[in-house]
Amino acid sequence: MAIESVCMALLQWSPALIAGFGQNILISLLAIGLGTVLGLLVGMLALSPWRLLRLPARLWVQVFRNAPWLVLIYFTTYVFPFEIHVGSAYIPFPDWVKVTIGLALPASANVAEILRGAVASIPGTQWEAARSLAFSRWQIAVSIIMPQCLKRMLAPWMNLYAVVTMGTALASLVGVHDVIDTAQIASNTVNLTGFTVLVYLSLLVLFFAYCYPISRLTQRLERRYAFY
Amino acid sequence: MNHWLEFFVHWASSLGLNYGFLLDAYPRSTLAQGALTTLWLCLLTIIGSLLTGLGLAALLTSGKRALAVPARVFIEVTRNTPTLVQLYCAFLVLNMLLNQAVGTANPLTPFAWVVIVISLHKGAFHAEALRAGIEAVPAVTLEAARSLAFSNRQLLWNVQLPLALRFALPSLINNLIDLVKMTAVASAIAVGDITYSAIMIWTQSDNVLELMILLLGFYGLLSFIVNCVGRYLEARLRMPGYGH
């Protein structure tokens, strides 16, 4: 009897939970997209031959890799304004966008490091060989080094995506209505011991079902592109 | 001490940052208490996670399926679910069940739960690093040790682990830096660490930016210390011709 009502309650709440998880996935996709674009830019700056460009990029990477993700999320949530004033219009700046930016910052620092590692793994002799064939620095980077780097970056980048997805769980702490927030509301509303156990376990299952295949695929790619 | 603090507050105000709350005894003691809690949290979880990692790595490389499979399942589940969800599963579910079973005699505080969850979580990551290290020990070394009549346990403790530790040290240190940053989730279940005390202060007085800079500096310093210790150990334990 009790088990039946608990299962019914879970069934009843499952659309809300799935919708919440959709919010998590949306945040993670936008954050990794933004983080990748930013990270590639920062990573390229960090590889530049000019000190003046290299230093800020280094600082960016150090600061955002060494800060706890939670603190960065609080940072973007509380420091950014609630709405942006453009001309005469007020554009709202929702919490979940701020969280996305808060996750994109550390993601970008990690992408920059992944790029640095991939470029460093290409033997220096290739730069020299290309230089002797009269390629310019930009040409070497774009047509010789980058194509090889992409393959090597794929596995760590996917790993990073899995980490970012798990990082979206922190969004609930700053009031974003995500899957964990939904689970808390559900468990407080239904107020049955069995349901509370079940709903938190289903959170574990949801995240595991999403992240485990990514991690398996990453391992396969790592093995396929192993270069030593 | 106070003199320097006043000097700092004065200097920061010339940059447009209001650190005046540091001169106030109450917020200052809250922050100091929080910093101390975070330090304790880091210390206990570093020890706990290393012990967990060691145990799990021993299970993984035991060669017995009955031991290796549960350890592998635990590691995969831990690595592929968010820490916060694990913390909630422990604190909101297990703790609730425990409370219902033993009532107010429940010995586990939120602080203890954070230590347990983060130790287990990071232990899974340590175990992977140590396993890779144990598997990287050359087969001939093992054969040589076995021919000297080392038992399995002696082999693990005296031959494999010392070598594996050297091999795994960079990733272990990486995990520990991650662990230091991870302790910030303790604030989610109202453990009074430095993040929590900062939240408490900025909800009363509107100085988010100043506290954020302080927090980033504090965590940066902690990970820097872990990094330095790691570098020292790496140099200290280096064996010419082995590992990195």
Side-chain angles (χ1 to χ4, degrees), chain A:
Chain A
M1 183 55 207
I3 291 171
E4 210 169 84
S5 63
V6 163
C7 287
M8 277 307 289
L10 188 66
L11 206 65
Q12 205 179 1
W13 277 91
S14 59
L17 285 173
I18 304 245
F21 196 56
Q23 174 80 71
N24 281 66
I25 290 175
L26 179 69
I27 291 176
S28 74
L29 287 176
L30 287 177
I32 192 78
L34 188 63
T36 307
V37 173
L38 263 177
L40 289 179
L41 277 175
V42 173
M44 278 194 252
L45 286 184
L47 291 170
S48 120
W50 293 298
R51 248 180 97 89
L52 210 64
L53 293 179
R54 225 165 41 220
L55 271 180
R58 277 267 197 57
L59 191 69
W60 177 281
V61 170
Q62 288 305 329
V63 168
F64 291 124
R65 275 191 74 201
N66 283 320
W69 293 43
L70 182 58
V71 173
L72 287 177
I73 287 175
Y74 277 128
F75 185 78
T76 49
T77 308
Y78 288 109
V79 172
F80 287 171
F82 292 104
E83 48 194 8
I84 308 169
H85 194 172
V86 181
S88 59
Y90 284 97
I91 300 168
F93 200 12
D95 267 346
W96 69 269
V97 177
K98 293 182 193 170
V99 170
T100 307
I101 297 172
L103 286 170
L105 290 177
S108 75
N110 280 296
V111 169
E113 280 296 274
I114 291 172
L115 179 71
R116 193 179 63 84
V119 171
S121 76
I122 309 282
T125 46
Q126 293 205 13
W127 289 87
E128 287 160 20
R131 182 62 53 79
S132 74
L133 290 170
F135 278 92
S136 73
R137 199 183 154 80
W138 180 250
Q139 280 176 319
I140 302 174
V142 170
S143 48
I144 296 171
I145 306 296
M146 276 306 151
Q148 305 181 68
C149 286
L150 281 184
K151 246 196 236 172
R152 292 179 187 188
M153 283 170 66
L154 190 59
W157 181 81
M158 280 172 52
N159 212 1
L160 180 67
Y161 175 62
V163 175
V164 168
T165 307
M166 290 188 262
T168 59
L170 300 172
S172 62
L173 294 179
V174 290
V176 175
H177 189 60
D178 75 334
V179 67
I180 294 170
D181 194 39
T182 313
Q184 279 179 329
I185 294 171
S187 114
N188 291 339
T189 312
V190 176
N191 201 14
L192 285 173
T193 308
F195 182 74
T196 304
V197 174
L198 210 59
V199 83
Y200 281 107
L201 281 185
S202 61
L203 280 188
L204 273 184
V205 171
L206 268 178
F207 275 101
F208 186 76
Y210 191 73
C211 293
Y212 187 62
I214 297 176
S215 108
R216 289 303 297 203
L217 194 60
T218 310
Q219 281 168 12
R220 284 240 317 262
L221 284 175
E222 262 169 7
R223 239 171 273 142
R224 189 193 297 172
Y225 295 138
F227 49 87
Y228 47 89

Side-chain angles (χ1 to χ4, degrees), chain A residues 63-72 74-76 78-79 159 162 165-167 169-173 180 184 192-194 196-197 200-201 203-205 207-209 211-212 215-216 219, chain B residues 72-73 76-86 88-89 92-93 96-97 100 128 174 177-178 180-182 184-188 195 199 202-203 208-209 212-213 215-216 219-220 223:
Chain A
V63 168
F64 291 124
R65 275 191 74 201
N66 283 320
W69 293 43
L70 182 58
V71 173
L72 287 177
Y74 277 128
F75 185 78
T76 49
Y78 288 109
V79 172
N159 212 1
T165 307
M166 290 188 262
L170 300 172
S172 62
L173 294 179
I180 294 170
Q184 279 179 329
L192 285 173
T193 308
T196 304
V197 174
Y200 281 107
L201 281 185
L203 280 188
L204 273 184
V205 171
F207 275 101
F208 186 76
C211 293
Y212 187 62
S215 108
R216 289 303 297 203
Q219 281 168 12
Chain B
R72 168 69 32 211
V73 169
E76 290 302 336
V77 170
T78 310
R79 281 164 55 108
N80 289 299
T81 47
T83 329
L84 188 65
V85 176
Q86 291 165 9
Y88 281 165
C89 276
L92 299 180
V93 176
M96 176 192 73
L97 295 178
Q100 285 179 356
E128 277 292 277
N174 204 5
I177 289 178
D178 227 32
V180 167
K181 297 190 283 171
M182 193 176 273
V185 297
S187 62
T195 312
I199 296 171
W202 82 50
T203 46
V208 178
L209 191 63
M212 278 297 171
I213 294 170
L215 275 187
L216 291 180
Y219 282 107
S223 20

Side-chain angles (χ1 to χ4, degrees), chain B:
Chain B
M1 171 70 196
N2 258 337
H3 181 71
W4 286 108
L5 213 55
E6 266 169 43
F7 181 75
F8 170 74
V9 170
H10 193 71
W11 174 76
S13 72
S14 70
L15 294 176
L17 296 170
N18 176 19
Y19 275 106
F21 63 93
L22 283 180
L23 297 176
D24 212 346
Y26 177 68
R28 195 175 60 211
S29 70
T30 312
L31 264 185
Q33 198 61 45
L36 200 66
T37 310
T38 296
L39 283 180
W40 271 114
L41 212 54
C42 288
L43 199 68
L44 292 176
T45 44
I46 283 174
I47 297 169
S49 68
L50 285 173
L51 290 178
T52 314
L54 206 61
L56 284 172
L59 291 182
L60 279 179
T61 54
S62 64
K64 297 191 185 73
R65 270 186 70 85
L67 295 178
V69 170
R72 168 69 32 211
V73 169
F74 175 79
I75 288 173
E76 290 302 336
V77 170
T78 310
R79 281 164 55 108
N80 289 299
T81 47
T83 329
L84 188 65
V85 176
Q86 291 165 9
L87 193 62
Y88 281 165
C89 276
F91 183 65
L92 299 180
V93 176
L94 291 182
N95 196 46
M96 176 192 73
L97 295 178
L98 204 63
N99 268 339
Q100 285 179 356
V102 296
T104 48
N106 183 358
L108 291 168
T109 57
F111 182 86
W113 278 112
V114 173
V115 171
I116 293 170
V117 169
I118 297 184
S119 294
L120 291 178
H121 184 91
K122 273 296 152 204
F125 286 80
H126 291 328
E128 277 292 277
L130 284 172
R131 181 194 56 81
I134 289 174
E135 283 174 359
V137 174
V140 271
T141 311
L142 293 184
E143 276 171 32
R146 224 173 244 128
S147 74
L148 291 170
F150 274 75
S151 72
N152 267 339
R153 196 193 306 166
Q154 284 175 317
L155 205 66
L156 181 67
W157 193 248
N158 295 324
V159 181
Q160 285 173 308
L161 271 182
L163 290 174
L165 185 67
R166 288 168 170 82
F167 188 87
L169 204 54
S171 31
L172 287 184
I173 296 300
N174 204 5
N175 290 343
L176 289 183
I177 289 178
D178 227 32
L179 180 148
V180 167
K181 297 190 283 171
M182 193 176 273
T183 56
V185 297
S187 62
I189 58 170
V191 172
D193 75 329
I194 192 163
T195 312
Y196 190 74
S197 8
I199 296 171
M200 288 295 107
I201 295 174
W202 82 50
T203 46
Q204 288 170 11
S205 42
D206 186 29
N207 44 16
V208 178
L209 191 63
E210 286 86 354
L211 279 163
M212 278 297 171
I213 294 170
L214 215 59
L215 275 187
L216 291 180
F218 182 75
Y219 282 107
L221 186 69
L222 275 187
S223 20
F224 181 69
I225 292 171
V226 174
N227 187 27
C228 286
V229 172
R231 288 275 167 83
Y232 169 77
L233 280 178
E234 255 175 71
R236 183 75 202 273
L237 293 175
R238 209 175 82 83
M239 283 178 10
Y242 189 83
H244 306 276

